[in-house]
Structure formats: structure tokens, C-alpha cells
Amino acid sequence: MPTLRRRLLDLLGRQVNVHDLGPGAAVLERRGDYRITPAGPRTWLVTRGQSDHRPVVPPQGWTRTPLGPGAELLARESMSDADELALHKRAQNHLGARHVASVLRHYRVDCVFDVGANIGQYGRSLREHGYRGRIVSFEPVPDMAAELRTVAARDPDWQVHEMALGREDGTAEINVVPGSMSSLLEASEFGNTRYKRFQRTRTETIGLRRLDGLMDKALAGIKNPRPYLKMDTQGFDLEAYAGAGKRIEEFVGLQSEVALMQIYEGMPRMAEAIAVYEADGFEVTGMYPVTREESTGRVLEFDCVMVRARSLSQD
């Protein structure tokens, strides 16, 4: 049976917008355009359209930090170290996703190649942040690919390919790890120490294809395509990138997970990866932490967002 609080919220919802944050917490607004995003335990990021600049009055024990026209951050004044870390991670994830969305709009991207798609988290985020162009996802692990197909089946312009991308066509053995850490590379000593899940690794044979041999079919029906390449392959990004060959020149932007610490044996470090991308004309627009070591605070990996600026002047 609905609680009294729930019945009241349902009733209020006929007159105002109600954002139910969980037990004991809700945001009420008079039909505005607020957006509520979780940013840690009992912490939320509140954003608002630019048509209304009235400040949000924080409750006692909270602080309000303006983030620019139409956005404010509400956070508790006192947090535990764990809550503080969770706030940073979720806020950075949110800002990173918004940054990618703005890049896709500004560069008029109409096809995103989602390499290392797992179960579709990245594609769903693109849709949530307004991207309506084509998504072409690649996921080599059969169980993950099956879940991905279920998600993409509801989207008419989202393709799924059960394969990995690499420097050559063929087959390969992938180390299947629970979660989103499966890789064509072996775990390093550091990786094995930090991630206990590597102890449950198994191997599977998968298909491996070059990207340049798949692009014509993926882009079919798009006039003057402006593709974007996202890679999250657990240490294999440069190999997937190499498979694009000369056709990498067609991409207006890319996103790669670059490492400061080697979780896998032989994975390139951040400086090496960025140097390869820069040599092909891509330039950094944003760096967002992916994983941070709780005990030391050091970042293990960044999501690096890059664009080919000259692709705007060529129009």
C-alpha cells in the first residue's frame, strides 16, 4: 500500500514537478526544467535551463555552488572521505557525459562508433544526453553482446556487432572478467593486486576485425558522414585505432580511455596514446577521471576526449 508521503507526492505531481530522490528526500518545482542527477550518497547535482536564473536556496547544512548560467551544485557541508570521493566521481562522470554531448552537437556527429560497448552503458548515456544519430557498437564477449542487443533492439538506429576491433582481421583469445574489465591483454601484477575479480578470469575465442573494412556498411545511408570514435577496450585502444588505417582521417573526434597505471600487461601509457592521436590531427578538449585509487587518490585512467578542429573549417 502506498505510504502517506507517496500519496502526497502523487497528488502534488498534478500541480508541480516532483523529483523523488528516495526515502525522506524530494525536490518540488513549479513546472520548471530542473534536472536532478545523483552525485554521491544523499547528494544530487541540480541543473536548470537558462530561462530561469533564480538561485536555489539550500537546506540547512548544505552549500550552493553556482556552476554557470542554469546550473548549481548542492552538497552537504560535511562529508566523510568516502562520500567526498563518491561526489567527485559522479559529478565528473556527469560533466564528462555532458561534455561529450556538446562535442557531438558542435561537430555535428551523425555516427558514433562505440568500441568496447559492454552492455550499452555508453550508448544509453548518449541517448539520455540528446544524441539522436547512429550508434554502431562492438562488443566481443558473447554474454555482454547478448545483453547489448536487447538494449539496442528498442532503438532503430543502433547497430550491434559481436566482435573486437584490432590491427588485423582474424580471431583472438580474450580474457573474460566479471563486469566491464574483459581484455585481450593479460592482467599486470598491479592489476591482479588491485582487482580481485581477475582471479575469476576465463578465456574465449572471439572474432577480430579491422575498422576500415567495416566503415562503409556502418555508414550506409548517411550523406556526408561525420563519424566519432569512442574506444574503451581495456588496454587495446591503440590496436583498435590502428585498424582504421587511412580512414581515421574521416573521424571528426574520438574518445579513448588512457592509462596512468598499467592494469594490463603491455597496455600503452597515457603519453604514448595521446601522442599517436595528436600525430593524426586530434586535439584534447577534455580529460575526465575514470578510476581513482581510494587509498592514495591517484588517478589510474582518464577518458580523453579529442577533436579534429580543422574538420569545422573544411565545411
Side-chain angles (χ1 to χ4, degrees):
M1 178 178 294
T3 63
L4 176 60
R5 173 179 175 272
R6 168 47 58 197
R7 292 198 295 270
L8 288 172
L9 289 178
D10 290 342
L11 181 62
L12 284 170
R14 301 173 188 175
Q15 305 297 324
V16 299
N17 285 336
V18 179
H19 303 276
D20 188 5
L21 304 180
V27 171
L28 309 182
E29 54 158 328
R30 293 183 178 178
R31 298 299 182 188
D33 55 354
Y34 284 74
R35 180 170 181 164
I36 313 297
T37 303
R42 298 175 58 196
T43 309
W44 296 268
L45 182 70
V46 181
T47 56
R48 183 179 63 242
Q50 295 187 14
S51 61
D52 184 358
H53 299 298
R54 292 172 298 174
V56 173
V57 178
Q60 185 175 2
W62 292 63
T63 59
R64 177 179 66 87
T65 303
L67 299 180
E72 296 170 358
L73 175 66
L74 296 183
R76 294 200 318 275
E77 293 174 350
S78 177
M79 294 189 195
S80 68
D81 290 343
D83 285 0
E84 189 75 37
L85 184 63
L87 166 63
H88 297 173
K89 179 174 177 56
R90 295 188 185 185
Q92 288 160 354
N93 288 348
H94 176 72
L95 293 175
R98 289 184 68 95
H99 176 66
V100 169
S102 69
V103 166
L104 299 186
R105 287 194 301 271
H106 188 59
Y107 280 79
R108 302 187 305 285
V109 170
D110 47 24
C111 184
V112 173
F113 286 80
D114 174 20
V115 184
N118 198 250
I119 58 174
Q121 301 95 318
Y122 184 80
R124 290 198 301 269
S125 177
L126 291 181
R127 293 302 192 219
E128 289 169 3
H129 286 84
Y131 174 69
R132 296 292 175 261
R134 182 171 300 171
I135 302 173
V136 183
S137 292
F138 300 88
E139 173 52 49
V141 179
D143 291 346
M144 300 294 101
E147 290 192 50
L148 174 61
R149 280 192 291 268
T150 299
V151 172
R154 301 188 291 268
D155 192 315
D157 209 11
W158 188 344
Q159 303 174 13
V160 174
H161 300 277
E162 187 176 320
M163 64 180 68
L165 298 188
R167 191 179 296 267
E168 302 292 344
D169 291 339
T171 59
E173 293 293 313
I174 191 169
N175 298 295
V176 179
V177 183
S180 59
M181 298 191 71
S182 298
S183 177
L184 287 153
L185 305 177
E186 299 281 348
S188 67
E189 181 179 352
F190 171 77
N192 276 314
T193 300
R194 189 179 194 280
Y195 296 102
K196 302 306 180 187
R197 70 183 73 178
F198 283 137
Q199 297 174 7
R200 293 179 284 157
T201 299
R202 58 184 172 83
T203 61
E204 290 195 30
T205 302
I206 59 166
L208 195 64
R209 293 287 304 276
R210 284 180 58 90
L211 178 57
D212 55 9
L214 304 169
M215 287 179 60
D216 285 341
K217 183 176 180 180
L219 297 171
I222 301 177
K223 184 179 180 180
N224 301 319
R226 297 179 64 83
Y228 178 90
L229 177 61
K230 168 265 180 182
M231 297 173 289
D232 181 3
T233 63
Q234 303 303 306
F236 211 66
D237 283 15
L238 283 188
E239 295 297 304
Y241 181 87
K246 292 293 186 181
R247 299 200 66 173
I248 198 63
E249 297 175 1
E250 299 175 32
F251 287 85
V252 301
L254 67 81
Q255 182 175 344
S256 177
E257 198 169 86
V258 295
L260 293 170
M261 301 294 294
Q262 290 181 300
I263 299 172
Y264 304 92
E265 291 291 346
M267 72 183 299
R269 299 288 294 273
M270 181 174 72
E272 177 186 351
I274 291 178
V276 171
Y277 305 143
E278 287 182 334
D280 284 333
F282 294 101
E283 299 170 279
V284 175
T285 66
M287 299 281 284
Y288 297 90
V290 175
T291 310
R292 190 185 296 273
E293 193 173 55
E294 293 84 354
S295 59
T296 64
R298 60 183 176 176
V299 175
L300 306 184
E301 298 168 301
F302 281 101
D303 259 339
C304 178
V305 182
M306 308 183 78
V307 297
R308 195 188 302 277
R310 68 172 181 268
S311 69
L312 290 178
S313 61
Q314 291 173 349
D315 297 339

